[in-house]
């Protein structure tokens, strides 16, 4: 049966998609949608529960800590790629990504049950806090999620590609490429319903966010049921029947030439740039709207969701187009266009999303005079982190979404904020807020409560948001994402032989996405806080995308005309 399916896959390359291919694409994609939903819940909800799992007292530090934990799930993904890739090349594609979805679903469900750092109240019941055990357990669960996702994507992409017919692999695997975006969209829908329909803002912030994690258990059950009905990949089954499998996929992938060369080129010439474009276009854009431009989360979710609806069909389009003109040129064009346009587009996004804040920035000169030796660059925040007055001052101003210049005040100099010539020292949150409000900062309101001034955040005025412009920019970001992401699964599958394909494609993919891409929110947030420029974080994706463009242009081969059967011979050094 498997050999007949494989022979059928190489016949009729230009005929319509078969019923078997539809079933494979649907089952693989649906399960992967749910797995991405699980993984991206954390990223979307991090600003809400950051303060719950980390020590109170510094909101930016808590957010950085939450992003660091978020990044930990990405950092471990390459190890998941090695573990599950090895298993997938030895045991098979189907059984391996059944295991990955179980690990992911159970870990996500557990996050919804995890106690917080301090005591909390849920449905009227007092739940004791567990101190530093809370972030430790959260990190462990994120690591399990990352390991699972490290094995999931390669399995799904390989499985679909090995069922697809030649000259249609870009189109077939592009459906897998939509799953990350659709999973993100599903996460936004569930979070939006919880935040704005089932719970008020206070209840959602306290414990309502947990519901989005808990419902993943139902998605897990459905996904496992669907995948149990699948058969093994016909190309893999034939390889096993012919006795051509690799005894050591890890060695043959990364310690034998030329497969190790192509793994490195796939990383530096494709997946690194693809990863930063993906995370800039979706997650960083969301954080920029909510944290920097102060757009109300409901409106930000609506805008991002609208861009996902508009942009998702382009994944299929660019996958289809790559079957005709090639994978590499589309991926590299997306990297180059994104790198050249991010700065002007994010500038326009800030102006369009919150014109009052943009106008305040234009008419206000803000400087911070400090002793540079007392200012630190914080990435991974934990019990070892020491925040100086300089760090707290920078964090506070950055959190308000305004840029400032840092001046060297000399050794031992106090921290002095200067707003249009008015100096404020020493740093306290209230004195800085008062000075900014007095200068016309639009997103804080000062109120007298029991004899003291309380500052309340004010979201961007929805009547002044240029909705069409913001949606157009976000949709354009999604088109960039579709260009780099739509064809990449087919490209990676075609780059390596069958006996090591799962392992070989998974590692560069997850280093590119997990390390280069997954670190983006954390690094960009830290760069902004350290530099004082709300756009400085964009330098990271711009530089990585440009490096990817150059390396890919010079060294990457085109793969669209490769026949997977020709590449799946007994020699592990076959490259087609």
């Amino acid at each position: 049966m498997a050999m007949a399916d494989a022979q059928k896959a190489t016949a009729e390359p230009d005929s319509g998609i078969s019923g078997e291919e539809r079933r494979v694409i649907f089952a693989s994609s649906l399960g992967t949608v749910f797995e991405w939903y699980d993984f991206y819940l954390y990223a979307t909800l991090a600003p809400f529960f950051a303060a719950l799992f980390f020590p109170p007292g510094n909101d930016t530090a808590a957010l950085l800590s939450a992003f660091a934990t978020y990044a930990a799930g990405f950092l471990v993904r390459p190890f998941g790629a090695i573990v599950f890739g090895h298993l997938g090349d030895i045991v098979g594609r189907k059984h391996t990504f059944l295991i990955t979805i179980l690990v992911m679903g159970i870990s996500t469900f557990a996050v919804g049950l995890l106690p917080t750092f301090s005591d909390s109240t849920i449905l009227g019941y007092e739940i004791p806090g567990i101190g530093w055990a809370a972030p430790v357990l959260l990190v462990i669960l994120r690591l399990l999620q990352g390991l699972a996702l490290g094995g999931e994507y390669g399995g799904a992409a390989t499985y679909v590609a090995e069922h697809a017919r030649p000259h249609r692999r870009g189109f077939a695997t592009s459906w897998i490429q939509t799953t990350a975006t659709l999973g993100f969209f599903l996460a936004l829908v569930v979070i939006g319903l919880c935040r704005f329909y089932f719970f008020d803002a206070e209840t959602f912030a306290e414990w309502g966010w947990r519901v989005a994690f808990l419902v993943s258990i139902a998605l897990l059950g459905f996904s496992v049921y669907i995948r149990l009905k699948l058969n093994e990949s016909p190309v893999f089954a034939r390889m096993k029947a012919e006795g051509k499998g690799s005894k050591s996929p890890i060695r043959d992938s990364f310690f034998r030439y030329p497969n190790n060369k192509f793994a490195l080129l796939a990383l530096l010439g494709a997946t690194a740039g693809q990863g930063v474009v993906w995370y800039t276009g979706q997650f960083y854009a969301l954080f920029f709207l909510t944290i920097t431009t102060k757009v109300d989360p409901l409106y930000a979710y609506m805008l991002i969701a609208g861009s996902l609806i508009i942009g998702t069909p382009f994944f299929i389009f660019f996958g289809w187009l790559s079957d005709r003109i090639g994978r590499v040129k589309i991926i590299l064009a997306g990297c180059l266009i994104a790198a050249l346009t991010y700065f002007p587009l994010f500038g326009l996004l800030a102006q369009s999303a919150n014109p009052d804040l943009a106008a305040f920035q234009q008419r206000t000169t803000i400087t911070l005079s400090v002793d540079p030796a007392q200012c630190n660059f914080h990435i991974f925040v934990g019990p070892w982190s020491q925040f100086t007055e300089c760090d707290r001052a920078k964090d506070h101003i950055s959190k308000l979404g305004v840029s400032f210049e840092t001046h060297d005040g000399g050794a031992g100099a106090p921290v002095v904020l200067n707003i249009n010539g008015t100096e404020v020292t020493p740093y306290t949150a209230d004195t800085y807020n008062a000075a900014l409000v007095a200068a016309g900062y639009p997103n804080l309101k000062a109120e007298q409560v029991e004899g003291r001034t309380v500052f309340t955040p004010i979201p961007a005025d929805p009547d002044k948001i240029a909705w069409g412009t913001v949606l157009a920019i976000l949709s354009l970001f999604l088109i960039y994402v579709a260009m780099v992401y739509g064809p990449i699964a087919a490209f990676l599958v075609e780059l390596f032989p069958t006996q090591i394909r799962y392992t070989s494609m998974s590692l560069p993919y997850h280093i590119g996405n997990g390390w280069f891409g997954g670190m983006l929110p954390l690094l960009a947030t830290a760069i902004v806080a350290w530099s004082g420029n709300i756009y400085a974080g964009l330098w990271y994706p711009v530089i990585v995308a440009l490096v990817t463009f150059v390396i890919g242009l010079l060294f990457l081969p085109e793969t669209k005309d490769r026949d997977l059967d020709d590449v799946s011979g007994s020699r592990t050094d076959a490259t087609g």
Side-chain angles (χ1 to χ4, degrees), residues 377-399:
F377 182 63
H378 294 281
I379 300 179
F380 296 101
V381 178
W384 58 85
S385 302
Q386 297 294 323
F387 282 83
T388 65
E389 183 178 358
C390 173
D391 299 334
R392 292 194 298 272
K394 284 186 171 185
D395 288 343
H396 186 88
I397 303 171
S398 298
K399 188 175 64 177

Side-chain angles (χ1 to χ4, degrees), residues 74 77 271 274-275 279 485 508-518:
F74 285 90
R77 277 167 56 176
T271 62
Q274 172 258 304
Y279 287 96
Y485 201 53
Y509 173 82
H510 284 294
I511 292 178
N513 284 267
W515 291 5
F516 284 88

